[in-house]
Amino acid sequence: MRQYLNLCKKIINKGQWIKNKRTGVRCLTFINYDFEYDVANNKFPLITTRKSFYKSAIAELLGYLRGYSSAAQFREIGCNTWNSNANKNKDWINNPHRKGKDDMGRVYGVQGRSWRQYNGTHLDQLKKVINNLSNRIDDRAEIITFYNPGEFDLGCLRPCMHTHTFSLLNNILYLTSYQRSCDVPLGLNFNQIQCFVLLALVAQITNLKPGKVYHKIVNAHIYENQLEIMRDIQLKRIPYSLPKLYINPNIKILKDIETWVSNNDFTVIDYQYHDAIKYPFTV
């Protein structure tokens, strides 16, 4: 929680104003910030200075891990974050590759589960990583990336959290996650939750001990229409201690994640928080 608040203060005190070309809205921007999350000791990085809707973040991660390509699929599992990008993004609506309502195109999990190769076949990056780690193999390239510049025009949004690298050291599993762009008031806590849960889940289904997550953010920003709320409301609240996360121990293999696991298989323990804050979302 302190890491989150420190980043918010750095953006406000040291950030520079940049006009975002995609949205047309100014952002107060800070370059390069690193987080660490202690999965080994189950210090779940939930925001406590406002209510965090962690189940939606976990549902979104599950959709990525399943390779979902439709906002309707995400809605079915309890996540509404893709409705606007799939249906209100003017550039995507006018894109000839869009298949219709709710289509997201080849973004995030589609790339992670079905990366299109030069010969027309598809590579399942996630399955390769899970298989290797289950066999205690670390070829220093246990990487899942959603960032495919050759197919940017085939999706509604370039990935923000774009690459996850797993590292195995003495049977302890670590995760390094790279994020090119971060909407700090709205998106960051989703990203923190997903990084933590990704390492915890992969460690659980590969029978490894989880270590830490190293989460690197390149461009961290607060939109102009979010700044007053962050500065005058959220940052004036006193944070509570971090909660813990319980994951259903019956989740044992990748197929479980692909078929029956839901966000109800994840429970937060001892979560104290302040009232919810509604930040504007910029499409």
Side-chain angles (χ1 to χ4, degrees):
M1 187 66 220
R2 289 190 183 92
Q3 297 177 83
Y4 177 91
L5 296 176
N6 286 340
L7 173 58
C8 294
K9 291 172 184 176
K10 277 196 172 185
I11 295 171
I12 291 171
N13 295 329
K14 298 183 178 181
Q16 297 183 40
W17 285 107
I18 302 293
K19 185 172 182 179
N20 184 270
K21 291 182 179 179
R22 180 178 65 86
T23 64
V25 181
R26 290 203 311 164
C27 303
L28 194 56
T29 303
F30 183 84
I31 301 299
N32 192 43
Y33 195 83
D34 295 291
F35 286 93
E36 287 187 14
Y37 313 130
D38 189 352
V39 183
N41 292 307
N42 200 4
K43 294 184 178 180
F44 193 40
L46 271 190
I47 296 301
T48 63
T49 49
R50 63 174 173 83
K51 184 178 181 180
S52 178
F53 298 94
Y54 72 93
K55 293 223 174 207
S56 182
I58 293 174
E60 184 178 54
L61 176 64
L62 291 175
Y64 293 161
L65 297 179
R66 291 171 178 169
Y68 284 174
S69 62
S70 168
Q73 292 174 298
F74 281 93
R75 286 197 301 274
E76 287 174 7
I77 60 172
C79 176
N80 291 303
T81 57
W82 283 96
N83 293 338
S84 293
N85 282 315
N87 298 307
K88 294 182 181 180
N89 181 330
K90 292 180 180 179
D91 289 339
W92 178 237
I93 290 172
N94 295 322
N95 189 313
H97 298 290
R98 184 173 182 261
K99 297 176 182 178
K101 182 181 178 182
D102 288 326
D103 179 43
M104 296 159 46
R106 291 186 56 78
V107 297
Y108 282 91
V110 177
Q111 300 292 351
R113 301 305 308 267
S114 186
W115 182 282
R116 194 147 44 199
Q117 301 186 101
Y118 70 95
N119 59 2
T121 61
H122 291 80
L123 171 66
D124 188 334
Q125 300 180 69
L126 177 61
K127 186 172 286 186
K128 176 262 184 187
V129 168
I130 297 299
N131 287 344
N132 276 6
L133 295 177
S134 297
N135 289 290
R136 304 302 183 261
I137 296 170
D138 180 359
D139 63 3
R140 289 182 282 186
E142 303 305 333
I143 298 171
I144 301 165
T145 184
F146 307 139
Y147 203 81
N148 187 345
E151 294 193 339
F152 283 163
D153 62 330
L154 302 182
C156 64
L157 185 71
R158 290 177 298 169
C160 297
M161 174 77 74
H162 60 81
T163 301
H164 300 282
T165 301
F166 291 91
S167 301
L168 186 56
L169 190 62
N170 294 325
N171 287 326
I172 298 177
L173 188 63
Y174 298 87
L175 174 63
T176 305
S177 297
Y178 305 88
Q179 187 166 358
R180 66 171 181 84
S181 176
C182 182
D183 178 337
V184 171
L186 269 181
L188 177 53
N189 198 217
F190 257 55
N191 304 132
Q192 293 177 296
I193 292 166
Q194 290 168 352
C195 288
F196 186 100
V197 173
L198 180 59
L199 177 57
L201 259 186
V202 171
Q204 181 165 310
I205 66 174
T206 57
N207 293 310
L208 291 165
K209 294 179 181 179
K212 286 187 176 183
V213 175
Y214 303 99
H215 177 188
K216 175 175 281 294
I217 297 173
V218 177
N219 184 306
H221 50 268
I222 299 173
Y223 281 100
E224 189 168 18
N225 55 8
Q226 301 168 332
L227 180 59
E228 184 177 347
I229 300 172
M230 173 61 74
R231 184 188 59 221
D232 298 341
I233 299 177
Q234 187 167 353
L235 282 179
K236 291 186 177 180
R237 295 176 174 179
I238 298 173
Y240 297 108
S241 299
L242 291 178
K244 296 184 181 298
L245 179 68
Y246 172 82
I247 300 177
N248 185 344
N250 292 320
I251 304 172
K252 296 179 178 179
I253 58 175
L254 179 57
K255 190 173 181 180
D256 293 338
I257 296 171
E258 294 170 331
T259 53
W260 60 265
V261 174
S262 76
N263 56 12
N264 292 322
D265 291 295
F266 303 82
T267 305
V268 171
I269 302 166
D270 297 329
Y271 182 32
Q272 281 186 286
Y273 52 84
H274 291 267
D275 292 340
I277 296 175
K278 188 172 183 179
Y279 281 102
F281 176 68
T282 304
V283 180

